[in-house]
Structure formats: structure tokens, C-alpha cells
């Protein structure tokens, strides 16, 4: 029994590490070590929740809920996931990594409970979504970027006109951080670039707009 529980904890860490490796290769907020620790911790919580109080059950008038501790992992992961979500210059990042941590915790709970097949299946499915679906999304829809443009306020419509002429889809638009001394503001635009779109050509077109000081693509 002890050997089986140790195998569960190690396996949960290994499966969590596979997801973490994919995230670290993408230079995301939570990487290999974080996902391994989440997998190990979740498996240990499940083991304790399921088997840790077996000696108490022999006592009179004692009734335990074997899912009570494991259930707290689900809510507790919300705090850890929130730590990977950042808002930088009106752009929200880290949602996929937070979801990956949440799935890793679920895999740890599943492995800790002894359902090896479900844990392995969940890991393969998570990696499929993170990697394969990312490529499909970039192929069919395009890759999302955020343009940060320092420019004169009157040049904002001109930059948007350039995006329309280049047939580049754009979404959320925000104008922030106006500098009274220089008269410049910062335009943040979420754009979707297809594989055929040239980032170099887009950079040149935007910089040609009168009043544009600098351009950064994230």
C-alpha cells in the first residue's frame, strides 16, 4: 500500500511536469517546477484526504468525509492561479497558465485517488490543447499581438486607418498615459496577424504615420 501511494505522488509530479515543461518552453509565468509541485501537493492532499484518517474511523461516534481536504485544493488553486494572471499596460496575461495549473491540480487529485488511466488521459488531453490547438489557432485565425504606440493624440485615427488598409483585425483599443510635457499618449491595440502578414511591413507603415514616436509589439 505504501509503495502504491509513493508511486501515485511521483507519477502526479511527472505528469504535472510535462504540462509545466510546455509552459516553460513558452516562457510563461509558471513553469516546470511550479507544475511539479502542484501535482505532488495535490496528490498528497488526496492521499491524506482518502487514507490519512483511517485510524480514527475505529473510534465511536466518528464519521469523516474523505473528500473534505481534497475539495479545498480546488478553491485553493484559485489563489495560485490568480498569481499567474497579470495586467500589464491594459493587457491581461496568464489566463492559460492559470488554467494549466488548475488542470494540473485536478490531475494530481485523480492520480492520488488511484485513477491512473484518467490522470494519464487528462495529461495527454491538456498537452494536446496547449500545443496542437495553439498551432491550429495560429494557422486558421492568426497570432495575437498587442501594439503599444507612443504618438500624438490626433494620430490615433491615422494608425487605426493603417490597420484597416493592411486588413489587420484589431480588437480592444485603449489610450493611456498622456504626457503633458511632450503631448504624447500611448495607444494600446490588440491585433491578430495571419501567417502571411509581415510584422516588419506593419512596423514601417505605422512608423510612417505623422505624430508616431515609437512602436512596440508584444
Amino acid at each position: 500500500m505504501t509503495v502504491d501511494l509513493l508511486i501515485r505522488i511521483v507519477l502526479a509530479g511527472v505528469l504535472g511536469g510535462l504540462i509545466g515543461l510546455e509552459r516553460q518552453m513558452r516562457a510563461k509565468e509558471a513553469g516546470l517546477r511550479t507544475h511539479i509541485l502542484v501535482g505532488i501537493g495535490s496528490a498528497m492532499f488526496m492521499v491524506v484526504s482518502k487514507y490519512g484518517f483511517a485510524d480514527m474511523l475505529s473510534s465511536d461516534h466518528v464519521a469523516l468525509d474523505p473528500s473534505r481536504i481534497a475539495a479545498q485544493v480546488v478553491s485553493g488553486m484559485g489563489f495560485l492561479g490568480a498569481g499567474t494572471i497579470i495586467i500589464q499596460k491594459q493587457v491581461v496575461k496568464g489566463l492559460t497558465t492559470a488554467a494549466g495549473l488548475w488542470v494540473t491540480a485536478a490531475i494530481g487529485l485523480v492520480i492520488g485517488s488511484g485513477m491512473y488511466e484518467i490522470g494519464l488521459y487528462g495529461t495527454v488531453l491538456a498537452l494536446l490543447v496547449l500545443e496542437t490547438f495553439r498551432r491550429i489557432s495560429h494557422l486558421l485565425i492568426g497570432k495575437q499581438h498587442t501594439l503599444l504606440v507612443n504618438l500624438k493624440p490626433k494620430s490615433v485615427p491615422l494608425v487605426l486607418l493603417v490597420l484597416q488598409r493592411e486588413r489587420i483585425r484589431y480588437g480592444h483599443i485603449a489610450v493611456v498615459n498622456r504626457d503633458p510635457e511632450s503631448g504624447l499618449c500611448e495607444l494600446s491595440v490588440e491585433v491578430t496577424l495571419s501567417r502571411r502578414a509581415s510584422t516588419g511591413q506593419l512596423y514601417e507603415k505605422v512608423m510612417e504615420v505623422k505624430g508616431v514616436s515609437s512602436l512596440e509589439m508584444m
Side-chain angles (χ1 to χ4, degrees):
M1 183 64 178
T2 302
V3 174
D4 180 56
L5 296 182
L6 293 177
I7 292 175
R8 295 182 190 183
I9 294 172
V10 172
L11 181 59
V14 171
L15 296 180
L18 293 177
I19 299 177
L21 183 61
E22 190 278 338
R23 293 285 83 192
Q24 187 158 330
M25 290 174 61
R26 305 293 170 198
K28 300 303 180 180
E29 292 73 19
L32 178 63
R33 293 184 299 174
T34 303
H35 283 76
I36 291 176
L37 291 175
V38 168
I40 291 175
S42 300
M44 293 177 67
F45 277 124
M46 175 56 83
V47 169
V48 171
S49 184
K50 193 172 182 180
Y51 307 107
F53 307 100
D55 58 328
M56 300 294 296
L57 296 177
S58 59
S59 303
D60 296 334
H61 309 294
V62 174
L64 297 177
D65 180 5
S67 66
R68 188 169 184 178
I69 294 180
Q72 304 308 310
V73 175
V74 180
S75 58
M77 281 306 302
F79 292 97
L80 186 58
T84 67
I85 301 174
I86 59 175
I87 301 178
Q88 183 179 12
K89 296 184 178 180
Q90 307 297 318
V91 181
V92 179
K93 294 184 176 182
L95 290 174
T96 303
T97 301
L101 287 171
W102 186 58
V103 172
T104 301
I107 292 171
L109 292 175
V110 168
I111 295 296
S113 65
M115 295 185 288
Y116 298 110
E117 295 85 357
I118 301 299
L120 291 170
Y121 177 77
T123 303
V124 172
L125 195 60
L127 291 173
L128 181 66
V129 170
L130 289 172
E131 184 61 26
T132 306
F133 279 50
R134 181 188 65 85
R135 295 187 179 184
I136 293 176
S137 175
H138 290 172
L139 179 64
L140 299 180
I141 302 175
K143 191 173 182 180
Q144 292 185 341
H145 295 273
T146 299
L147 301 182
L148 299 177
V149 189
N150 289 315
L151 72 175
K152 298 285 187 179
K154 63 181 180 180
S155 301
V156 172
L158 299 178
V159 171
L160 299 180
L161 184 61
V162 168
L163 298 180
Q164 292 177 357
R165 288 176 177 174
E166 295 296 318
R167 296 182 179 181
I168 295 175
R169 291 175 294 173
Y170 60 88
H172 178 72
I173 302 173
V175 180
V176 294
N177 299 335
R178 183 168 183 175
D179 188 353
E181 295 182 0
S182 63
L184 296 176
C185 63
E186 183 179 70
L187 171 66
S188 173
V189 186
E190 294 181 0
V191 298
T192 302
L193 301 181
S194 64
R195 296 182 62 187
R196 292 175 295 179
S198 172
T199 56
Q201 182 178 355
L202 175 61
Y203 181 86
E204 292 178 359
K205 292 290 184 180
V206 173
M207 291 300 297
E208 289 176 356
V209 175
K210 185 177 180 180
V212 173
S213 174
S214 63
L215 168 63
E216 179 182 358
M217 184 176 297
M218 301 174 60

